[in-house]
Amino acid sequence: MTGKCLVLPGYAVCSHYTYLVDTIPYQQLPFSGQFSIFEVEHFHSELTTQPHRHHDFQIVWLTRASGEHIVDFVSYGLEDNMIFLLGPGQVHQLLDASIFGFSVTFTEEFYFSNRHDRESLYDFTTLFDSSQAYAPIRVSHPAAANFSQLIALMRNELSVQLEGSNSSVIKHYLNAFLLLVERERKHNVANSPALQHHDARIVKLRQLVEKHFRQEHKADFYAQHFALTSKRLNEITREVLGKTVTDMVHDRLVLEAKRQLAFSHRSVKEICYELGFEDPAYFSRFFRNHTASSPHEFREAMFK
């Protein structure tokens, strides 16, 4: 299974989007608090088949599945024993899907509630880093058995009603779960050496880009956070990712522009200014250079 990018013209998913909303909606999941596990086959809302997002980190392990899952304009065919990792704000939707499995949802505050946690627990943010291209993870049968045991242990701890007594135990079970997901991800990319290389600076850079991409488009801004020159930081990103810092920022700007064009009523000029561009004409040229279509053409193709 490989992801198939949805490109213009003839945008493959355009017929599925039947209305515009002013903002991309957040789906309310069936839990309150900072950690939850639920069976995905028992949860459905009107937003499930529409583009939506979540506030928290979500691991979706599909034990049995068919249909289509679209994540940020890329379509993936669903298969049994597949994991999707969704970060806060990531836009996705399920189409013609029959799914069984589990959703593990948690906040960063739950996992890293103190300094000791940050020093002792696996840094899951590296797992959710999409700068090396998003892709679901195929789960091997031995790993699936381990995941099942950890799911059962975490659900059992959730059933313990002694307030505050179970959060530490759950965090360590979740830590083990995330480590196993990371191991499966590495197995998935075993034939792609470029994706195996990990550099903590790249993870931090990705986080900085996510935080500042609307206001800061230049490599110099990001390089100063590492006490490096932009030339040296570009050498690092080229080695690890095959792209420059500017490429990373531009990729994020294009993705956000697509989201706003597809799922909001904002005008092209409004989107232009929101993303830190001063000239709408320049923004339109920038978008065309990266997508082979103008902002207006992209929006029209989504709904024709």
Side-chain angles (χ1 to χ4, degrees), residues 157-169:
E157 284 300 315
L158 276 177
S159 68
V160 177
Q161 297 301 312
L162 296 177
E163 185 175 353
S165 65
N166 58 352
S167 62
S168 180
V169 175

Side-chain angles (χ1 to χ4, degrees), residues 47-59:
L47 289 179
T48 301
T49 59
Q50 301 294 338
H52 65 276
R53 51 189 173 178
H54 305 279
H55 290 288
D56 305 322
F57 291 92
Q58 186 176 27
I59 305 169

Side-chain angles (χ1 to χ4, degrees), residues 13 15-19 25 27 43-52 68-70 92-99 263:
V13 72
S15 62
H16 295 300
Y17 300 123
T18 58
Y19 63 89
Q27 186 182 51
F43 174 71
H44 183 86
S45 80
E46 61 181 8
L47 289 179
T48 301
T49 59
Q50 301 294 338
H52 65 276
E68 182 181 9
H69 190 193
I70 299 172
H92 72 122
Q93 69 182 128
L94 290 163
L95 297 174
D96 301 322
S98 172
I99 57 174
F263 310 129

Side-chain angles (χ1 to χ4, degrees), residues 9-26:
Y11 202 75
V13 72
C14 61
S15 62
H16 295 300
Y17 300 123
T18 58
Y19 63 89
L20 282 168
V21 292
D22 287 324
T23 59
I24 306 166
Y26 284 87

Side-chain angles (χ1 to χ4, degrees), residues 62-204:
L62 301 177
T63 56
R64 288 187 290 129
S66 63
E68 182 181 9
H69 190 193
I70 299 172
V71 183
D72 278 332
F73 304 97
V74 180
S75 176
Y76 302 93
L78 296 179
E79 301 176 0
D80 294 351
N81 269 327
M82 177 179 285
I83 283 179
F84 286 87
L85 302 169
L86 300 170
Q90 202 158 19
V91 179
H92 72 122
Q93 69 182 128
L94 290 163
L95 297 174
D96 301 322
S98 172
I99 57 174
F100 297 85
F102 300 92
S103 170
V104 180
T105 307
F106 62 98
T107 66
E108 187 170 358
E109 292 75 18
F110 171 82
Y111 192 77
F112 291 129
S113 58
N114 56 58
R115 180 178 297 180
H116 175 73
D117 288 338
R118 289 194 176 275
E119 294 172 349
S120 61
L121 296 178
Y122 165 65
D123 184 357
F124 72 91
T125 58
T126 63
L127 186 61
F128 285 80
D129 175 24
S130 61
S131 61
Q132 299 188 46
Y134 180 85
I137 299 168
R138 288 178 173 176
V139 177
S140 64
H141 289 297
N146 291 330
F147 287 145
S148 293
Q149 292 177 350
L150 286 167
I151 289 284
L153 289 168
M154 286 188 284
R155 296 182 81 181
N156 182 65
E157 284 300 315
L158 276 177
S159 68
V160 177
Q161 297 301 312
L162 296 177
E163 185 175 353
S165 65
N166 58 352
S167 62
S168 180
V169 175
I170 290 175
K171 274 195 292 188
H172 283 83
Y173 286 147
L174 178 58
N175 179 62
F177 194 96
L178 289 164
L179 284 168
L180 288 175
V181 173
E182 170 70 6
R183 187 167 69 186
E184 289 300 286
R185 187 191 68 84
K186 288 180 178 179
H187 288 167
N188 277 213
V189 299
N191 296 320
S192 301
L195 295 181
Q196 295 182 46
H197 187 80
H198 170 71
D199 190 320
R201 292 170 295 186
I202 295 298
V203 176
K204 180 180 177 181

